[in-house]
Amino acid sequence: QVQLVESGGGLVQPGGSLRLSCTASRSIFSIYVMTWYRQAPGKERELVATISSGDSTKYADSVKGRFTISRDNAKSTAYLQMNSLKPEDTAVYYCNAASSMGHYWGQGTQVTVSS
């Protein structure tokens, strides 16, 4: 069953912005880490950003200073604000939630950065 749903992807010009959302099913109890990954065609999946239950964050060097991860526990939702987008940011972005119940993945949302 799908327990994480990503949204907010789309086509944007270089230098533009997008905000991705990842909403977890309320059946997932006690999420302690939420993470955004991305995968471009022909490339390995890479970690983009992570946020803990205590709101500690970590970012890939390639997005540091441009992307911001946040979470709204009341809405069971994580966000990825992406600014100053570059063509190399083009990928399918996936959300992952780690909880006491295990790890869960969303189906992904496409982000395309192109002129």
Side-chain angles (χ1 to χ4, degrees):
Q1 67 181 45
V2 177
Q3 295 182 278
L4 294 177
V5 179
E6 302 100 334
S7 63
L11 175 64
V12 65
Q13 294 183 346
S17 298
L18 286 173
R19 189 193 193 201
L20 306 184
S21 298
C22 171
T23 300
S25 169
R26 60 187 180 89
S27 67
I28 302 178
F29 182 73
S30 186
I31 299 172
Y32 50 85
V33 176
M34 298 194 77
T35 304
W36 286 98
Y37 293 84
R38 67 186 182 187
Q39 187 168 24
K43 302 178 71 174
E44 296 293 324
R45 184 179 64 195
E46 66 172 333
L47 187 150
V48 177
T50 293
I51 186 167
S52 73
S53 59
D55 290 340
S56 297
T57 59
K58 295 181 180 180
Y59 298 91
D61 288 341
S62 59
V63 308
K64 198 170 299 180
R66 300 188 297 119
F67 291 11
T68 302
I69 188 171
S70 61
R71 64 191 294 174
D72 184 337
N73 293 329
K75 297 180 179 179
S76 298
T77 300
Y79 304 94
L80 186 67
Q81 178 66 46
M82 305 185 294
N83 299 326
S84 302
L85 283 162
K86 305 174 180 179
E88 50 262 47
D89 295 318
T90 296
V92 177
Y93 284 69
Y94 297 93
C95 182
N96 175 274
S99 76
S100 61
M101 301 167 60
H103 294 259
Y104 302 88
W105 289 91
Q107 296 302 113
T109 185
Q110 176 71 49
V111 172
T112 302
V113 184
S114 176
S115 298

